[in-house]
Amino acid sequence: MNRYGHFDDDAREYVITRPDTPLPWINYLGCEDFFGIISNTAGGYCFYRDARLRRLMRYRYNNVPLDSNGRYLYVKDGDTIWNPSWKPTRTELDRYECRHGLGYTQITGQKDGIEVCVRYFVPLGQNLEVWDVRVTSHRPAGRQTQKISLFGFLEWCLWDAQDDTTNFQRNFSIGQVEAQKNAIFHVTEYRERRDHFAYFALFGADALGFETARDRFVGVHDGLDKPRAVLAGKCESKLTLGWALVGAHQVDLDLQPGQTKRLHLLLGYCENPQNRKFEKPGVVNKAPFRKVAAALGSAAQVDEHFQKLKQYWSDLLSHYKANVPDRNVARMVNVWNQYQCMTTLNLSRSASYFESGIGRGMGYRDSNQDLLGVVHLVPERARQRILDLAATQLSDGTCYHQYQPLTKKGNTALGSGFNDDPLWLPLSVASYINETGDTTILAQRIGYADKENKDRATLLDHLEISIAYTLKNRGPHGLPLIGHADWNDCLNLNCFSQTPGESFQLAGDISGPKARIAESVMIAGLFCAACQCMAEIYELTRKTAKSRALRSAAEKMRRVILKTAWDGKWFRRAYDALGKPIGSKTNKQRRIFIESQAWSILGRVGLNDGKALAALDCVRQQLATPNGIMLQQPAFSTYRGEYGEITSYPPGYKENAGIFTHNNTWIQIAETILGRGDQAMAYYLSICPAAKERQIDTYRCEPYVYSQMTAGKDALTPGEAKNSWLTGTAAWSFVSISQYILGIRPGPRGLVVDPCIPKSWSGFSVQRIYRGKMYQIEIKNPRGVCKGVRSLTIDRKAINGNVIPLNLPGKQVSVVAELG
Ligand code: BGC
Ligand code: NOJ
């Protein structure tokens, strides 16, 4: 519970009870091709597949007030106008509630006895969103019938969101709409090269009027808080060409005391075949819209679709359920973390309140990591994503850093040369195979992005070339070259940029001899982990010689790390373009970074000689705060061209000593590898969103999903979060808590039971669907230890070791593990 809301665990909803949250708190609609983002005050927009190229609604990022365009319902009751979502009028409400659920948001506002409740969702299998509206009069019996006017309103985006916000000389003259009874069609550019249009249509009531021009509905010098048409209680029902297009429907309602009236609006996207674009010359073929109207025109149909959506999420979340003693852990691991993982799968880093939808496409490293959080939920989609990603790898092993979801083509402007990129593929493929057992994916022919189709390399070829790329591109110490950057996009050791506005990632030469000096210890550790994944894949496919070769390649790299990157108490981070260490006691300001501690340990370096333990102790002493672990200390206080973007941020923010929650999860895992369950859990809780309710006015972002970053101790606002929703923290947190802390981990030969928990936990249980069977796993901790399975019984029979064999009979497996 906090001042703004609370979890409703049974309903799987976050309930916001006042609209003026510290920042807009948002949710996502849609799980397939049609998506929307929606705030607790109904702000946001929707799009078909690509947030840049197929944007339906216009949204003004960075507007004042923040988040002031969206899916609005206006009520005119006498001389008062208000919105159930509070914005944009911000008329004070008698009651307000927003429920963000899984794939839907329901906002209720009440004023002077009239309640308007609207539930927004995207039905499965449809390219549209529903605004399901209930209007109720709570006036006492015996009072008169109440007459109110209700207006549904949105502003159209002219499809390409980038062009829409810049090219006014053209765009103010191209807008086009059509209208029918109760339906407005947005058809800009349809008459020329587009084959798609959008609609905004009303069902369950007759519209008294409609509006299509923003200037008429809102006014030129007026704001959305005082739209002229609403104040006048009248729409002009006219068509428009050019300027800014809107869709608005007016409904007048007579409500008896106690009466509820229901209506709904559909906002959606349609495509027509090229040869059937028009039903009459110049008139858009509305056949696809008529199909939608037939499928979703009635309230009963809307209800049925909503139930299907609820069922979809219940089914998905039944794949993994943990019963644990900590309430915040339970709500994250069972609901919100998995929900966020699906969102990062769908949206990558494209559209949020911090990502404008016109910037980044699908990131190679981002999307590979996002898969780790969803292979257990949607294995078929994970399979396809792996193949799409691999198809953007080039034949020398490097990868396009990003690709566009609509075309699936690599983004040439950004190109390749981020030298960690190739190594995330072995991790995602191993995770997919460990989950599903499907090794046939390895033989899939995908080819390289720069090669003709005839020479179509298999996925296994891609994996091998990823390893080979790293081995081939090593620097003077034998560590992998960093290229533009490794996971830390802001450690740009070859950029030396002095030109304002130049991209840190693209500046500098990464192909000449000078670029063959800067090296990354993090990539070295990642390489060891990737080799481990590959070795297991080879063993599974009976290629023992290859497996042995990779294990020995990893072992060699471990020795290189120990020899060249051990700094005495922790692992160095990198070597710069002059060959000088970064993240070392020998730096002028003795420095320590998080990523190389984490990945050396995840790569199994220094586990038996005390080095890993020493490094983690330094992390705790020098980097940990109650809000999570900072990326490095001390922060950079001046700009340093030889280090790049990391030094561009003010101290304490983002990659400059901010708490970058993504890499915190790796330290959590590292702690479990060393058996320190109390420390792992303390770190988990230090960044757990649900645990932030207690300090929400400082934290500010949504307490139900991870944010990319929390300001570190050097910042002016320590503990303040930014960049919520689209972050690799989602997938890795789920891996950390479910596979390493709670410790049920899919392996090549079955589920591994290997928890590492706080000593005070007396036990917990996990229910998990795995390769077609339901596992009920009970963990008992009678001796109060952190780690170590002492006995394992399966269907009441004791077995050796801690791996549940795959070939057990039946569909239900009951497992009891005792720690101690
Ligand atoms: C951010 C990084 C991000 C990068 C993407 C930088 O400005 O700080 O977090 O990965 O941009 O290009
Ligand atoms: C966010 C980017 O999306 C991701 O690719 C990168 O690893 C982190 N920032 C760290 O810089």
Side-chain angles (χ1 to χ4, degrees):
M1 187 72 172
N2 66 71
R3 298 201 300 127
Y4 304 96
H6 56 89
F7 287 91
D8 181 340
D9 294 317
D10 292 339
R12 294 181 179 142
E13 290 171 339
Y14 195 84
V15 187
I16 301 166
T17 47
R18 52 185 284 179
D20 56 341
T21 43
L23 287 170
W25 283 359
I26 74 157
N27 193 16
Y28 285 83
L29 311 175
C31 6
E32 294 155 326
D33 288 330
F34 191 90
F35 298 100
I37 58 183
I38 181 163
S39 72
N40 60 305
T41 54
Y45 58 88
C46 56
F47 56 92
Y48 173 71
R49 280 200 180 157
D50 187 315
R52 172 172 167 185
L53 297 175
R54 293 286 185 279
R55 181 88 62 103
L56 271 77
M57 287 168 71
R58 181 172 287 159
Y59 188 75
R60 281 176 283 275
Y61 273 96
N62 213 353
N63 202 0
V64 181
L66 206 56
D67 183 38
S68 45
N69 210 5
R71 306 160 172 87
Y72 294 135
L73 285 174
Y74 288 92
V75 179
K76 177 172 162 62
D77 180 3
D79 288 337
T80 310
I81 67 166
W82 58 277
N83 307 97
S85 54
W86 184 56
K87 276 185 182 169
T89 58
R90 287 181 290 151
T91 305
E92 204 180 319
L93 298 171
D94 299 336
R95 188 169 86 84
Y96 158 90
E97 183 190 80
C98 166
R99 289 181 168 259
H100 283 321
L102 307 181
Y104 66 92
T105 285
Q106 178 175 302
I107 299 177
T108 309
Q110 187 172 323
K111 178 135 192 95
D112 299 333
I114 298 288
E115 176 192 293
V116 178
C117 171
V118 46
R119 188 197 274 153
Y120 301 94
F121 71 100
V122 173
L124 294 172
Q126 302 283 341
N127 295 322
L128 61 91
E129 56 181 60
V130 178
W131 306 8
D132 182 8
V133 186
R134 285 176 176 79
V135 187
T136 303
S137 164
H138 291 296
R139 300 250 162 117
R143 290 274 212 94
Q144 292 168 331
T145 306
Q146 217 170 335
K147 288 182 189 303
I148 60 156
S149 299
L150 194 69
F151 300 80
F153 169 83
L154 61 82
E155 188 171 347
W156 297 112
C157 176
L158 307 184
W159 302 117
D160 179 339
Q162 163 104 332
D163 188 71
D164 185 71
T165 50
T166 44
N167 194 8
F168 305 112
Q169 60 79 22
R170 171 175 158 88
N171 291 342
F172 283 167
S173 293
I174 64 170
Q176 241 180 309
V177 284
E178 288 186 13
Q180 283 177 355
K181 180 175 152 27
N182 278 17
I184 294 165
F185 301 91
H186 174 223
V187 298
T188 300
E189 291 187 343
Y190 188 87
R191 54 190 288 282
E192 29 126 349
R193 290 155 301 172
R194 293 192 186 272
D195 57 6
H196 50 261
F197 62 96
Y199 54 84
F200 185 47
L202 170 71
F203 297 85
D206 284 331
L208 190 74
F210 69 90
E211 196 48 270
T212 57
R214 190 179 73 198
D215 289 355
R216 283 195 299 270
F217 189 82
V218 182
V220 175
H221 297 288
D222 311 82
L224 289 175
D225 56 336
K226 290 196 182 76
R228 285 171 170 244
V230 178
L231 287 170
K234 193 173 171 336
C235 288
E236 290 182 30
S237 304
K238 283 191 194 152
L239 291 178
T240 312
L241 285 174
W243 293 112
L245 303 176
V246 299
H249 295 287
Q250 176 178 357
V251 181
D252 281 10
L253 295 173
D254 289 335
L255 287 165
Q256 315 278 343
Q259 190 182 15
T260 296
K261 288 201 172 166
R262 192 163 168 199
L263 53 94
H264 65 275
L265 291 143
L266 300 181
L267 159 62
Y269 172 92
C270 293
E271 274 175 10
N272 272 324
Q274 279 298 332
N275 59 354
R276 288 207 297 276
K277 277 180 64 170
F278 299 98
E279 54 195 27
K280 278 191 249 162
V283 178
V284 173
N285 175 8
K286 314 282 184 334
F289 168 70
R290 286 191 287 273
K291 211 167 136 200
V292 164
L296 272 143
S298 74
Q301 288 168 316
V302 168
D303 289 343
E304 202 179 304
H305 276 279
F306 184 68
Q307 284 319 318
K308 279 196 192 142
L309 181 68
K310 294 272 279 189
Q311 195 56 46
Y312 167 83
W313 281 105
S314 287
D315 290 347
L316 272 188
L317 296 182
S318 70
H319 289 219
Y320 181 93
K321 276 187 188 161
N323 190 349
V324 291
D326 186 301
R327 204 167 53 157
N328 286 333
V329 175
R331 48 179 59 132
M332 292 313 299
V333 75
N334 290 326
V335 183
W336 295 95
N337 193 172
Q338 295 191 67
Y339 181 53
Q340 187 178 4
C341 287
M342 285 297 290
T343 309
T344 56
L345 169 77
N346 289 329
L347 279 308
S348 190
R349 306 293 172 269
S350 69
S352 76
Y353 270 36
F354 300 87
E355 303 279 8
S356 63
I358 59 179
R360 302 200 256 170
M362 312 293 286
Y364 191 89
R365 79 157 82 88
D366 294 331
S367 294
N368 270 297
Q369 292 174 81
D370 292 343
L371 287 171
L372 308 179
V374 297
V375 286
H376 69 298
L377 294 172
V378 284
E380 330 69 46
R381 286 190 61 195
R383 188 180 208 272
Q384 188 57 50
R385 178 61 55 79
I386 286 172
L387 300 176
D388 290 347
L389 283 163
T392 64
Q393 185 172 35
L394 299 142
S395 57
D396 66 353
T398 185
C399 312
Y400 276 116
H401 197 49
Q402 287 169 9
Y403 73 89
Q404 281 311 120
L406 208 61
T407 60
K408 297 191 178 176
K409 290 265 180 298
N411 173 345
T412 46
L414 196 51
S416 60
F418 294 78
N419 282 353
D420 63 316
D421 272 342
L423 292 174
W424 298 106
L425 187 68
L427 268 68
S428 64
V429 173
S431 149
Y432 169 78
I433 291 179
N434 288 343
E435 182 67 41
T436 60
D438 170 24
T439 48
T440 66
I441 192 173
L442 298 168
Q444 286 293 307
R445 290 192 177 276
I446 351 173
Y448 295 112
D450 57 340
K451 282 269 154 102
E452 286 294 310
N453 273 352
K454 44 184 154 37
D455 171 29
R456 291 213 297 158
T458 64
L459 181 63
L460 186 61
D461 295 329
H462 281 263
L463 292 167
E464 290 180 346
I465 206 158
S466 302
I467 300 285
Y469 177 83
T470 310
L471 285 174
K472 236 187 268 155
N473 290 284
R474 284 183 291 166
H477 297 87
L479 294 162
L481 294 171
I482 198 166
H484 286 308
D486 60 23
W487 171 87
N488 188 333
D489 261 333
C490 299
L491 194 61
N492 315 117
L493 303 181
N494 294 307
C495 98
F496 298 97
S497 177
Q498 295 299 339
T499 309
E502 182 176 54
S503 157
F504 291 102
Q505 271 87 43
L506 297 185
D509 168 28
I510 58 153
S511 49
K514 283 203 188 128
R516 299 198 70 84
I517 295 179
E519 300 165 298
S520 161
V521 179
M522 188 210 146
I523 301 184
L526 176 60
F527 173 81
C528 300
C531 285
Q532 169 76 21
C533 293
M534 287 295 296
E536 287 176 3
I537 290 176
Y538 283 136
E539 276 150 29
L540 207 57
T541 49
R542 298 205 178 78
K543 293 184 174 146
T544 36
K546 285 195 164 190
S547 163
R548 242 180 283 127
L550 275 195
R551 287 190 189 277
S552 104
E555 205 40 51
K556 269 193 208 139
M557 187 66 86
R558 287 186 192 109
R559 285 201 291 275
V560 172
I561 296 175
L562 285 171
K563 190 160 154 239
T564 69
W566 180 248
D567 197 60
K569 289 191 170 161
W570 61 80
F571 295 97
R572 294 177 175 175
R573 175 65 177 85
Y575 284 94
D576 69 15
L578 295 174
K580 289 206 261 149
I582 304 174
S584 161
K585 61 173 183 267
T586 64
N587 296 148
K588 221 195 271 150
Q589 285 180 295
R590 168 195 154 90
R591 253 195 192 92
I592 173 170
F593 280 78
I594 194 170
E595 303 100 324
S596 47
Q597 319 314 319
W599 277 99
S600 296
I601 299 173
L602 267 49
R604 303 264 182 289
V605 183
L607 297 190
N608 303 321
D609 58 8
K611 293 196 170 73
L613 216 51
L616 285 181
D617 285 344
C618 290
V619 166
R620 193 186 62 237
Q621 290 149 10
Q622 302 184 44
L623 298 179
T625 78
N627 293 313
I629 313 165
M630 294 175 289
L631 195 146
Q632 88 274 33
Q633 276 294 298
F636 292 100
S637 51
T638 54
Y639 176 63
R640 308 270 296 268
E642 73 276 30
Y643 295 160
E645 185 169 2
I646 190 167
T647 65
S648 75
Y649 288 111
Y653 294 96
K654 291 278 278 180
E655 281 88 342
N656 189 12
I659 295 159
F660 222 90
T661 54
H662 186 154
N663 53 39
N664 279 225
T665 64
W666 302 331
I667 294 290
Q668 293 163 20
I669 297 173
E671 287 288 355
T672 69
I673 292 174
L674 297 186
R676 302 200 291 193
D678 285 291
Q679 187 60 64
M681 181 55 77
Y683 284 149
Y684 177 84
L685 290 173
S686 73
I687 61 162
C688 175
K692 299 295 172 192
E693 284 199 302
R694 276 182 256 128
Q695 57 194 78
I696 202 69
D697 283 307
T698 308
Y699 185 77
R700 300 183 74 201
C701 277
E702 296 91 332
Y704 41 91
V705 287
Y706 288 95
S707 292
Q708 180 202 61
M709 198 272 295
T710 307
K713 83 166 172 43
D714 306 285
L716 289 181
T717 54
E720 180 190 43
K722 282 189 195 135
N723 293 16
S724 57
W725 278 98
L726 301 182
T727 160
T729 315
W732 276 104
S733 281
F734 189 70
V735 170
S736 166
I737 187 73
S738 68
Q739 299 189 18
Y740 288 88
I741 298 179
L742 303 180
I744 311 298
R745 187 162 61 244
R749 308 204 180 272
L751 276 181
V752 181
V753 181
D754 188 22
C756 183
I757 54 173
K759 291 186 206 71
S760 60
W761 282 25
S762 59
F764 65 94
S765 62
V766 168
Q767 184 186 309
R768 198 196 196 284
I769 294 177
Y770 179 63
R771 305 205 192 173
K773 287 191 187 13
M774 172 63 86
Y775 291 76
Q776 184 67 46
I777 306 170
E778 179 83 35
I779 311 285
K780 296 183 175 163
N781 189 19
R783 290 169 193 80
V785 300
C786 288
K787 185 165 169 151
V789 171
R790 180 193 178 94
S791 68
L792 194 70
T793 55
I794 297 173
D795 293 328
R796 280 190 235 107
K797 273 194 250 60
I799 66 149
N800 287 331
N802 65 344
V803 182
I804 308 172
L806 283 169
N807 52 0
L808 298 168
K811 287 268 165 212
Q812 310 269 342
V813 183
S814 152
V815 181
V816 179
E818 198 171 298
L819 307 183

